[in-house]
Amino acid sequence: MKKVLVLEDEANIRSFVVINLKRAGYEAIEAETGEEALAQLKRNPDIKVALLDIMLPDDMDGFEVCRRIRASDSKIGIIMLTARTQEMDKVTGLMTGADDYVTKPFSPAELTARVDALFRRTGGEEESVSADEISQPPFLLNTRNRTLEKNGQRVKLTQVEYGIVKLFMENPGKALSREEILDMVWGRDYFGELKIVDVNIRRLRIKIEDNPTKPTYVNTVWGYGYKWGS
Ligand code: CA
């Protein structure tokens, strides 16, 4: 069973989400508070995707829950549930380690499309790879374990960040448009915004560049997209 954690304090929204996830073939694990969400994750280590509402009545908001999950788990897919008025929260959420966000009110189709897309990336599908390592010093990408090392040190990446690095390392020196990156990493049926590419790249640079303000690995191609290397 494909397990999804649903953290939402409002009971009617929570049951709306749960019903639609069940219809789409997922098992939904419910939580009303941040504490409860973290406890559920501990009890259910096979949860692959977490939906986190941002505005929660107690001390811990969705961002904090996201931060705490990411502190110990870089693999789980995280989608933030944001209100329409919280435009900035999208960026904040992604910077705290979320992979995606859905703006309320959302349709069942939109929600399950996002969850499906994230499930595919969190290692659901088998990849057919000829070689299981791509070496481009100082980086070594292992496509079997889905890990990245820089100078022999493991870099902790989310699944989305891993997908972006893999795409780059398979296309060194090639300018990739933001649309291409979105298609290749998030999937063609994903209906997100291009901005999500930029935010993920910003986060990726912080993790892999020697100096994120003067990137040398992930280079900007102005008005177009990004390029790996020079
Ligand atoms: Ca709420």
Side-chain angles (χ1 to χ4, degrees):
M1 201 64 171
K2 301 188 285 184
K3 281 191 191 174
V4 179
L5 175 77
V6 181
L7 167 59
E8 168 66 70
D9 59 300
E10 281 165 74
N12 56 339
I13 300 180
R14 195 171 64 242
S15 55
F16 169 80
V17 170
V18 167
I19 286 167
N20 285 292
L21 287 174
K22 282 183 179 163
R23 254 183 220 149
Y26 293 103
E27 180 181 347
I29 310 285
E30 299 180 47
E32 222 181 306
T33 65
E35 295 286 354
E36 220 179 293
L38 295 172
Q40 286 289 19
L41 280 168
K42 229 171 233 166
R43 267 200 295 279
N44 299 277
D46 52 342
I47 290 175
K48 290 268 169 56
V49 169
L51 303 178
L52 307 179
D53 182 32
I54 294 172
M55 299 290 282
L56 300 166
D58 55 342
D59 294 345
M60 211 191 304
D61 66 5
F63 294 137
E64 182 56 26
V65 176
C66 180
R67 241 176 253 120
R68 292 196 193 187
I69 295 174
R70 274 288 178 255
S72 60
D73 187 340
S74 60
K75 299 280 186 209
I76 189 170
I78 299 179
I79 301 175
M80 306 303 292
L81 306 178
T82 73
R84 182 158 291 191
T85 49
Q86 299 165 312
E87 190 65 22
M88 273 317 292
D89 285 354
K90 294 176 179 177
V91 175
T92 314
L94 292 169
M95 292 309 287
T96 59
D99 297 292
D100 201 355
Y101 51 82
V102 178
T103 307
K104 293 180 196 172
F106 42 80
S107 70
E110 187 183 359
L111 179 74
T112 50
R114 298 298 180 84
V115 175
D116 289 347
L118 208 45
F119 247 92
R120 277 198 300 278
R121 269 181 287 122
T122 47
E125 90 273 50
E126 289 299 310
E127 287 180 73
S128 58
V129 278
S130 45
D132 52 12
E133 281 185 349
I134 304 176
S135 174
Q136 285 164 20
F139 296 104
L140 179 67
L141 189 79
N142 185 315
T143 55
R144 182 160 301 173
N145 305 334
R146 301 169 75 88
T147 55
L148 178 75
E149 287 180 4
K150 181 182 179 186
N151 294 317
Q153 298 282 332
R154 172 78 69 86
V155 182
K156 278 194 168 181
L157 298 180
T158 66
Q159 293 298 327
V160 170
E161 292 161 354
Y162 168 83
I164 295 173
V165 169
K166 179 164 177 280
L167 179 64
F168 279 140
M169 290 182 75
E170 286 170 344
N171 296 279
K174 185 185 174 204
L176 298 165
S177 72
R178 295 153 82 222
E179 288 86 353
E180 263 177 289
I181 297 170
L182 193 70
D183 274 359
M184 300 293 287
V185 177
W186 280 263
R188 279 183 189 282
D189 51 353
Y190 175 82
F191 30 142
E193 299 160 46
L194 283 176
K195 191 171 68 180
I196 197 174
V197 174
D198 302 318
V199 178
N200 270 281
I201 291 216
R202 213 162 94 201
R203 206 172 60 196
L204 181 62
R205 279 173 169 161
I206 292 170
K207 293 187 179 181
I208 67 170
E209 296 285 350
D210 302 331
N211 177 357
T213 59
K214 288 189 181 140
T216 55
Y217 304 116
V218 182
N219 292 294
T220 301
V221 181
W222 292 107
Y224 186 70
Y226 299 95
K227 185 173 76 165
W228 182 250
S230 45

